[in-house]
Every structure is written in structure tokens, then in C-alpha cells.
């Protein structure tokens, strides 16, 4: 039976595909006030601005392609039972061929009813506008977990993290909870690898740091993982 490899990814994995991270220099939260574009209050106050912000993200995703990092992670399925837990709302892991991807913070390619959270639609165009309605006649909103909203997938993510034989963190600042808390559920003794070009903080005692961008970092990771397969 294949060992279970769990990957926790963040915006950094998609940086080489041309999508901006949030907290790096020039990142999205330097350009935008998060409370103005990614909160339920913002949606109440100025839905047009919220839609504009996510339309821009979606337009970029429509043109983006998975990079060597996403592809390398997908190729690890030859050796391991890989589950990706991602904070990203893009679908570049899926496009690269990863078969098990859990989205903690929602999905940019989907919209849902603002009155019935069970009514979820896959978008065929990058634009979502005021006046676009669900089958029940309510305005559609981005299928994104905004600040202040429940991360409903967290319990599924915790049970995945608890089963990891090997755990990899790639391209996340681990600043946002509850996603960042997932590392607390790794079983003691589990090998942990961290891929990030900036010096990440030491948060776990047995970490192997690969201080590279995701593309190169994942190829180094693959060499390291050969002995675990
Ligand atoms: P951040 O922007 O907080 O962190 C990005 C991380 O990626 C940093 O540690 C960077 O050093 C690293 N990085 C930058 N370029 C990289 C590259 N080419 N390869 C690998 N790593 C690279 O993004 P997240 O941690 O994903 O939530 O942010 C978490 C959440 O905060 C997001 O899901 C989003 C945001 O607010 C919501 O919108 C709900």
C-alpha cells in the first residue's frame, strides 16, 4: 500500500503561474484592504467592488497554467497516496493532474446563491456581475470563504492531516487560521518538509527546509522523497 503524503499549499505555489500571493511585497493585501473586498460586510456594503476584485482574480486564472510545482506534486501520485489541502481558490493543482484536492477557502471557478449555500454553480466565463442570479432568483456571490466566515472543510482537512505519513508545506505564510493549525495535527515523528523561498519560521521540530521557489523546490523534494516510497 502506498504511503500517505499530505501537501498543505498556499498562494506561493501559484506564484510562478503568474498569480499574486497575498502577503509578499506587492502582494494582494498591499494593494487592497481585505475588509473592503473579502468579508461579508464588504458584500453588504459594496457588492460591485467585491465582484470586481474576484472577477480580476478569475480573469487571471482563466489565462494561468499550472507550473512545475503543481505538476511535480501531481507526479508524486506515482509513488504515494497524495492528498492536497490547499488554501488557494485557483484550480491549478487539478489542472496539473492532482486527483485529491481539498479547497479550504473555496473555489474561484464557482459561484453560489447568496440565499441558499447549497446552490453552487460552475462558471463558464470569468465574469460574475450584479444581476447574475441563482435558480431561486437571488444574487450569485463568489464561492469563497471570506474573513469572518466558517471554514467548513476544516474538519475534513484535520482528518487528512492526522493520517499523513509524510507532510509537506509549500508556499504558505501560515498566517491564516484555522489552516495554519493543521500542522498541530501531524502525528509525532512524521517527516515534515517546507518549501518556501523566504526563511520561514521554525514551527515544528523535525522540519526539512527547502528554501526555493515551488518549481525548483518540488524537484528537490522529489529527490528527498525517493527513499520514502
Ligand atoms: P501568503 O501570501 O500569506 O504567503 C505566501 C507564501 O508563499 C509566503 O511564505 C512566500 O514566501 C511564499 N512564496 C512566494 N513566492 C513563492 C514561490 N514562487 N514558491 C513558493 N513559495 C513562494 O499566502 P497564503 O499563506 O496562501 O485567504 O495565505 C493564506 C490565506 O490568506 C489565503 O488563502 C487568503 C489570504 O487572505 C482568503 O482570501 C480567505
Amino acid at each position: 500500500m502506498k504511503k500517505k503524503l499530505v501537501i498543505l499549499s498556499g498562494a506561493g505555489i501559484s506564484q510562478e503561474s503568474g498569480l499574486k500571493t497575498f502577503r509578499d511585497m506587492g502582494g494582494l493585501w498591499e494593494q487592497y484592504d481585505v475588509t473592503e473586498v473579502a468579508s461579508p460586510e464588504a458584500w453588504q456594503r459594496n457588492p460591485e467592488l467585491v465582484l470586481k476584485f474576484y472577477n480580476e482574480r478569475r480573469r487571471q486564472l482563466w489565462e494561468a497554467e499550472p507550473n512545475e510545482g503543481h505538476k511535480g506534486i501531481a507526479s508524486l501520485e506515482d509513488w504515494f497516496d497524495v492528498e492536497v489541502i490547499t488554501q488557494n481558490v485557483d484550480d491549478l493543482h487539478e489542472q496539473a493532474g492532482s486527483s485529491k484536492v481539498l479547497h479550504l477557502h473555496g473555489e474561484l471557478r464557482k459561484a453560489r446563491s447568496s440565499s441558499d449555500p447549497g446552490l453552487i454553480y460552475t462558471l463558464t466565463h470569468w465574469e460574475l456581475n450584479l444581476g447574475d442570479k441563482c435558480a431561486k432568483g437571488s444574487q450569485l456571490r463568489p464561492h469563497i470563504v471570506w474573513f469572518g466566515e466558517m471554514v467548513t472543510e476544516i474538519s475534513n482537512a484535520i482528518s487528512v492531516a492526522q493520517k499523513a505519513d509524510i507532510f509537506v508545506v509549500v508556499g504558505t505564510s501560515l498566517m491564516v487560521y484555522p489552516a495554519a493549525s493543521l500542522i498541530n495535527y501531524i502525528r509525532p515523528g512524521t517527516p515534515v518538509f517546507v518549501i518556501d523561498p523566504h526563511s520561514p519560521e521554525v514551527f515544528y521540530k523535525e522540519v526539512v527546509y527547502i528554501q526555493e521557489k515551488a518549481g525548483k523546490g518540488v524537484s528537490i523534494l522529489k529527490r528527498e522523497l525517493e527513499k520514502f516510497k
Side-chain angles (χ1 to χ4, degrees):
M1 210 170 75
K2 286 174 175 172
K3 287 184 180 154
K4 189 157 205 78
L5 172 65
V6 177
I7 313 262
L8 173 61
S9 74
I13 184 102
S14 298
Q15 188 267 338
E16 287 166 283
S17 295
L19 304 181
K20 279 192 169 167
T21 62
F22 294 93
R23 296 176 184 77
D24 287 294
M25 235 202 299
L28 286 171
W29 295 154
E30 209 173 79
Q31 272 176 277
Y32 296 90
D33 179 345
V34 52
T35 57
E36 299 289 327
V37 293
S39 70
E41 294 75 24
W43 181 243
Q44 291 300 324
R45 214 168 31 230
N46 193 346
E48 209 160 359
L49 179 66
V50 174
L51 290 172
K52 186 166 169 262
F53 174 74
Y54 286 103
N55 281 347
E56 181 57 18
R57 311 274 74 71
R58 212 176 290 108
R59 193 184 59 73
Q60 288 171 9
L61 173 59
W62 246 248
E63 287 160 10
E65 288 188 0
N67 63 53
E68 291 310 307
H70 301 105
K71 289 179 195 163
I73 287 171
S75 74
L76 285 167
E77 292 190 11
D78 294 342
W79 297 349
F80 302 103
D81 170 17
V82 182
E83 283 210 46
V84 178
I85 303 169
T86 188
Q87 296 163 85
N88 296 348
V89 294
D90 67 53
D91 62 349
L92 296 178
H93 281 298
E94 289 94 329
Q95 284 193 44
S98 281
S99 53
K100 291 189 211 164
V101 184
L102 187 157
H103 285 272
L104 278 176
H105 293 162
E107 292 171 74
L108 208 41
R109 282 189 191 267
K110 293 182 179 167
R112 72 167 184 265
S113 162
S114 48
S115 63
D116 179 351
L119 277 181
I120 300 168
Y121 302 87
T122 299
L123 296 168
T124 51
H125 186 250
W126 59 268
E127 240 178 332
L128 183 64
N129 292 312
L130 280 184
D132 293 342
K133 300 207 169 126
C134 74
K136 291 183 175 170
S138 305
Q139 174 65 42
L140 287 173
R141 55 161 278 179
H143 185 50
I144 301 283
V145 178
W146 286 325
F147 284 89
E149 293 187 316
M150 294 270 290
V151 179
T152 53
E153 285 296 329
I154 194 66
S155 50
N156 290 332
I158 288 172
S159 49
V160 171
Q162 284 170 329
K163 288 187 211 121
D165 296 308
I166 305 160
F167 199 89
V168 176
V169 177
V170 49
T172 172
S173 60
L174 293 173
M175 300 268 281
V176 171
Y177 284 80
S181 69
L182 286 172
I183 53 172
N184 301 325
Y185 295 91
I186 305 169
R187 287 174 297 170
T190 306
V192 177
F193 296 84
V194 175
I195 302 172
D196 201 297
H198 303 119
S199 308
E201 260 180 59
V202 178
F203 57 84
Y204 194 81
K205 52 183 186 307
E206 286 157 59
V207 175
V208 177
Y209 283 124
I210 302 172
Q211 204 170 339
E212 296 285 354
K213 287 189 172 189
K216 184 163 179 206
V218 172
S219 67
I220 296 170
L221 174 76
K222 269 191 93 165
R223 288 204 293 274
E224 297 263 351
L225 290 182
E226 228 167 339
K227 60 176 180 278
F228 291 96
K229 66 181 180 181

